[in-house]
Amino acid sequence: MNHHHPLASRMTSVLATGQRPSRLQRRGRYTPESMRHPGKMLPAIAATVINAFTHPGDLVIDPMCGIGTTLIEAIHLDRDAAGMEYEPHFVHLTLDNVRHAHHQGATGRAQLISGDARNIAVVYGVLRGRAALVLTSPPYGARTHGHIRSGRDNGGGKVIKRHHRYSADRGNLAHQPLTGLLEGFGRILAGSATLLRPGGVVAVTIRPIRIKGELTDLPGRIIETAQRHGLTLVGRHAALLAGLRDGGLVNRASFFQMLETRRARDRGIPACAIAHEDLLVFQPTLGLEEARR
Ligand SMILES: C[S@@+](CC[C@H](N)C(=O)[O-])C[C@H]1O[C@@H](n2cnc3c(N)ncnc32)[C@H](O)[C@@H]1O
């Protein structure tokens, strides 16, 4: 648990963020087109983190905002939000979601820029020193995302994987090999940290992945990367993707995740379906923060 931040005492090590399936968390709150995005953050994760680390009126930033989950949950909670997203079609989906949220009575203001967040410190230079929270999630391998239609719901046909790729452009970090992704994400974290106000935090959600069957400690790699870019880990939580009911977990893993897990076990790899994301909380490394001012 994070003992450095006054609001973080409200956070437990395990966060019950999967009580409702993702589809139900979004229903009526996000446009149906938003479901096209291959790797969205659970709205309950965004809302929990925003509540824990910010107050109404504060500024929340997501440098890789996808269809805008961080922004939407922030403005519904009366925080202001700023986002960046590389893919123009996701920017449009975020704008639609912001409009929809305002129609539903969201009171926060949102701003959005389409572009490469490796330049966020310059692009959002006017927000330097203003954000209470940066909340984001890197794209980690288009292969691991997507929506699956199985024989169960397409009338017995073969498995079809849809919406599982971002554009082919290499500026989208989803297309970089792991080292390129980490290097780009490190620059985005460092740039975003310049927008933090004193006491502000950077929160990253991330889960371990298998690359060619090999379990990769992506959270560990993100922690190392953040440290190299002037951030210190001050909190680590498990944000549940599964539900909690009657003392047990309600599995919400997709058909594809279950299939992959079963295949791995058939090959003798002791895989389990992943039921949580790591939520990593960072603050600028002491000394570096002072040096910046
Ligand atoms: C894991 S997704 C984030 C999803 C978001 N949290 C949501 O709930 O919609 C990562 C996003 O980063 C975007 N991205 C990739 N490279 C980028 C870059 N260089 N600058 C800004 N955004 C980028 C991708 O297009 C993708 O939408």
Side-chain angles (χ1 to χ4, degrees):
M1 248 205 317
N2 172 13
H3 297 291
H4 301 252
H5 200 280
L7 290 181
S9 54
R10 285 195 220 157
M11 299 260 285
T12 48
S13 58
V14 177
L15 309 173
T17 39
Q19 293 304 79
R20 291 192 304 148
S22 118
R23 191 174 32 85
L24 294 188
Q25 291 193 19
R26 286 185 194 280
R27 187 182 283 168
R29 199 170 170 89
Y30 290 79
T31 63
E33 294 74 31
S34 308
M35 299 316 276
R36 278 192 223 149
H37 191 285
K40 298 175 290 298
M41 185 185 294
L42 272 186
I45 298 183
T48 302
V49 176
I50 292 164
N51 268 318
F53 293 104
T54 68
H55 293 292
D58 282 350
L59 176 66
V60 178
I61 295 179
D62 189 341
M64 313 179 88
C65 72
I67 56 96
T69 309
T70 300
L71 279 63
I72 299 307
E73 298 308 315
I75 64 175
H76 271 297
L77 290 166
D78 196 22
R79 277 68 167 171
D80 290 335
M84 250 187 115
E85 167 57 49
Y86 191 79
E87 302 286 346
H89 56 287
F90 294 150
V91 170
H92 288 293
L93 291 177
T94 297
L95 287 173
D96 289 345
N97 281 321
V98 168
R99 242 175 260 128
H100 184 61
H102 283 145
H103 278 142
Q104 293 188 316
T107 45
R109 291 164 299 179
Q111 52 184 313
L112 190 58
I113 294 178
S114 177
D116 188 339
R118 285 174 287 194
N119 306 319
I120 194 165
V122 176
V123 174
Y124 269 131
V126 289
L127 299 183
R128 190 182 167 91
R130 304 236 343 250
L133 170 68
V134 170
L135 170 60
T136 201
S137 182
Y140 36 100
R143 277 161 296 128
T144 59
H145 293 312
H147 300 281
I148 295 304
R149 292 183 62 193
S150 70
R152 275 193 311 216
D153 51 24
N154 71 0
K158 59 182 177 11
V159 170
I160 302 167
K161 194 153 187 265
R162 299 179 299 160
H163 308 320
H164 63 303
R165 291 210 175 276
Y166 298 101
S167 76
D169 188 332
R170 301 280 288 184
N172 187 322
L173 298 186
H175 301 298
Q176 301 273 356
L178 187 59
T179 45
L181 165 69
L182 291 171
E183 150 50 36
F185 191 59
R187 282 173 57 189
I188 292 174
L189 289 179
S192 301
T194 66
L195 309 181
L196 288 180
R197 72 180 187 199
V201 301
V202 176
V204 177
T205 65
I206 190 80
R207 63 180 95 166
I209 53 165
R210 282 185 188 278
I211 299 177
K212 296 186 180 128
E214 202 61 19
L215 192 62
T216 304
D217 175 19
L218 207 44
R221 303 291 299 274
I222 296 281
I223 293 169
E224 278 166 22
T225 303
Q227 280 166 347
R228 260 187 287 117
H229 287 85
L231 291 164
T232 298
L233 185 73
V234 295
R236 185 168 187 171
H237 309 259
L240 288 182
L241 303 169
L244 279 175
R245 196 172 302 140
D246 302 329
L249 287 182
V250 183
N251 183 13
R252 303 205 191 286
S254 68
F255 170 85
F256 184 65
Q257 286 160 344
M258 292 314 289
L259 187 71
E260 290 280 286
T261 305
R262 232 168 277 135
R263 282 184 183 152
R265 295 192 83 95
D266 287 347
R267 294 199 306 274
I269 299 166
C272 294
I274 289 174
H276 77 283
E277 296 220 326
D278 277 44
L279 170 68
L280 307 173
V281 184
F282 300 97
Q283 284 194 307
T285 306
L286 279 176
L288 287 182
E289 192 178 15
E290 274 75 57
R292 262 203 347 245
R293 283 198 217 115

